[in-house]
């Protein structure tokens, strides 16, 4: 009897939901839910604006002002004068060239070595877990600590481990951080050593997700290992490789701590990337306005390179 009443009342309940008053109740409930969601997101949104958007806008505002802490009486709005000076600054172009060389070399080395290690580990029957733990250790170290270790224990003339092996190989003792070319090679090696495990882990995970049936079909067709790598592995890994290149490029362009602790940008300006030049101009030479213009230029270069890489990723 009770069930019969319930079934009889169900159409009436549905009618109330579909009635104009039920529709108004649903709209009011949706509005309240949106307000609640807005209240929850507001603190995070304000924190994000305060830590990212506001500093960026202040950086751009500073870049169009003369702001020299050594001569504060001359401060004021100067428009694009800092940018015009930047285009005629040979040190800016030299630091930009060092940045591009440093970024291109380290990213290519990280992808090639990381992919080679991933292929090697995929073929291992035992010890994959231990290899992954050992490989990831450099990534968790602070770049400043890595720089100090390499400067003190690895590259020190006569006492460093690298110099020891150079002497054993008959190359003699080298001034790794005092010679301009060797110093640039050294910071490239340090950055590659620290961040290759990131590329390795991403590519290893992508390799593990590739379908085995394609490789079985290729083996049945008697495709060689190189043909399977070229026609199956590389095309399927292309999205992961491009994503690694994008992420590593953006980080390498803004590298700072390791280079600062190892060479400080020297000898001379041999390892002075654009990020380091902006820091020196702002906090060593106290020209905040011109340093801000350099930072904005680095931001534009990073955005342009990232846009090109994302376009490559989307292209078939």
């Amino acid at each position: 009897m009770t069930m019969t009443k319930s079934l009889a009342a169900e159409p009436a309940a549905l009618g109330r939901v579909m009635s104009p008053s039920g529709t108004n109740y649903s709209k009011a409930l949706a509005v309240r839910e949106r307000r609640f969601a807005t209240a929850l997101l507001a603190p995070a949104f304000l924190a994000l604006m305060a830590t990212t958007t506001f500093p960026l806008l202040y950086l751009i505002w500073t870049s169009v002002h003369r702001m020299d802490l050594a001569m504060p009486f001359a401060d004021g709005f100067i428009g694009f004068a800092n940018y015009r000076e930047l285009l005629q600054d040979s040190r800016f172009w030299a630091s930009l060239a060092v940045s591009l060389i440093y970024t291109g070399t380290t990213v290519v080395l990280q992808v090639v070595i990381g992919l080679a290690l991933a292929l090697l580990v995929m073929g291992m029957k035992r010890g994959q877990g231990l290899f992954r733990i050992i490989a990831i250790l450099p990534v968790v170290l602070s770049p400043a600590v890595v720089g100090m270790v390499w400067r003190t224990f690895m590259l020190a003339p006569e006492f460093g481990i690298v110099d020891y092996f150079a002497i054993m190989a008959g190359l003699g003792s080298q001034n790794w951080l005092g010679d301009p070319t060797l110093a640039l090679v050294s910071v490239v090696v340090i950055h590659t050593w620290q961040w290759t495990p990131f590329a390795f882990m991403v590519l290893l995970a992508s390799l593990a997700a590739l379908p085995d049936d394609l490789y079985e079909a290729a083996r049945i067709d008697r495709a060689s290992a190189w043909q399977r790598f070229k026609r199956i592995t590389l095309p399927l890994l292309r999205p992961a490789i491009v994503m690694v290149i994008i992420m590593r490029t953006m980080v390498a362009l803004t590298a700072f701590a390791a280079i600062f602790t190892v060479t400080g940008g020297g000898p001379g300006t041999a390892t002075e990337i654009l990020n380091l030049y902006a820091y020196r101009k702002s906090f060593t030479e106290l020209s905040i306005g011109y340093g801000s213009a350099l930072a904005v230029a680095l931001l534009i270069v990073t955005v342009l390179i990232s846009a090109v890489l994302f376009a490559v990723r989307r292209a078939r």
Side-chain angles (χ1 to χ4, degrees):
M1 186 65 179
T2 304
M3 183 178 296
T4 306
K5 289 182 178 178
S6 175
L7 292 174
E10 188 174 345
L14 290 174
R16 286 197 299 273
V17 171
M18 299 303 295
S19 67
S21 60
T23 304
N24 292 335
Y25 175 75
S26 300
K27 288 182 178 178
L29 183 61
V31 170
R32 290 175 62 184
E33 288 180 348
R34 281 198 296 270
R35 289 176 179 173
F36 182 65
T38 303
L40 291 178
L41 290 175
F45 178 75
L46 293 175
L48 185 66
M49 293 287 290
T51 56
T52 59
T53 306
F54 175 74
L56 177 61
L57 295 177
Y58 183 71
L59 176 72
I60 296 173
W61 181 84
T62 307
S63 70
V64 294
H65 285 73
R66 177 182 174 83
M67 188 176 292
D68 194 336
L69 297 183
M71 295 184 292
F73 52 85
D75 291 352
F77 179 77
I78 57 173
F80 293 99
N82 282 329
Y83 293 96
R84 287 194 293 270
E85 180 182 351
L86 180 148
L87 295 176
Q88 300 172 355
D89 185 358
S90 60
R91 190 174 166 188
F92 162 73
W93 293 109
S95 62
L96 179 60
V98 173
S99 294
L100 295 178
I101 294 172
Y102 176 82
T103 301
T105 308
T106 55
V107 171
V108 169
L109 288 174
Q110 288 172 47
V111 171
V112 172
I113 298 174
L115 179 57
L117 290 175
L119 291 171
L120 177 65
V121 171
M122 281 297 294
M124 294 172 62
K125 301 298 181 184
R126 294 181 179 178
Q128 280 196 18
L130 179 62
F131 192 91
R132 294 183 189 189
I133 293 173
I134 295 174
I136 204 67
L137 288 178
V139 176
V140 301
L141 296 175
S142 165
V145 173
V146 170
M148 291 301 295
V149 169
W150 274 83
R151 181 184 179 91
T152 306
F153 297 106
M154 303 295 289
L155 300 174
E158 303 290 345
F159 303 103
I161 295 175
V162 175
D163 209 48
Y164 171 78
F165 284 108
I167 295 173
M168 293 289 290
L171 300 176
S173 179
Q174 304 291 327
N175 190 3
W176 298 99
L177 303 179
D179 180 84
T181 303
L182 291 178
L184 183 57
V185 172
S186 298
V187 294
V188 167
V189 170
I190 293 170
H191 190 89
T192 303
W193 173 81
Q194 184 175 20
W195 293 108
T196 293
F198 174 82
F200 159 71
M201 295 299 289
V202 173
L203 296 176
L204 181 63
S206 301
L207 277 175
L210 296 185
D212 293 331
D213 53 344
L214 290 178
Y215 291 95
E216 290 298 329
R219 290 190 184 93
I220 293 173
D221 291 339
R222 297 183 178 181
S224 65
W226 170 248
Q227 289 173 326
R228 294 197 298 271
F229 174 75
K230 181 180 178 182
R231 297 182 180 179
I232 298 176
T233 305
L234 272 184
L236 293 179
L237 281 182
R238 181 171 171 270
I241 291 174
V242 175
M243 183 52 65
V244 169
I245 291 174
I246 292 171
M247 296 179 70
R248 296 311 314 151
T249 298
M250 288 189 283
V251 173
L253 280 171
T254 57
F256 179 82
I259 295 179
F260 184 75
T261 53
V262 174
T263 65
T269 58
T271 59
E272 187 181 66
I273 61 174
L274 189 51
N275 201 21
L276 192 55
Y277 180 36
Y279 167 81
R280 281 180 162 178
K281 204 69 182 177
S282 299
F283 301 107
T284 303
E285 302 177 23
L286 303 180
S287 181
I288 303 296
Y290 190 68
S292 300
L294 289 169
V296 173
L298 175 60
L299 174 65
I300 294 172
V301 171
T302 304
V303 170
L304 289 176
I305 294 177
S306 300
V308 172
L309 292 175
F310 274 110
V312 171
R313 184 173 184 270
R314 286 193 297 268
R316 292 182 178 276

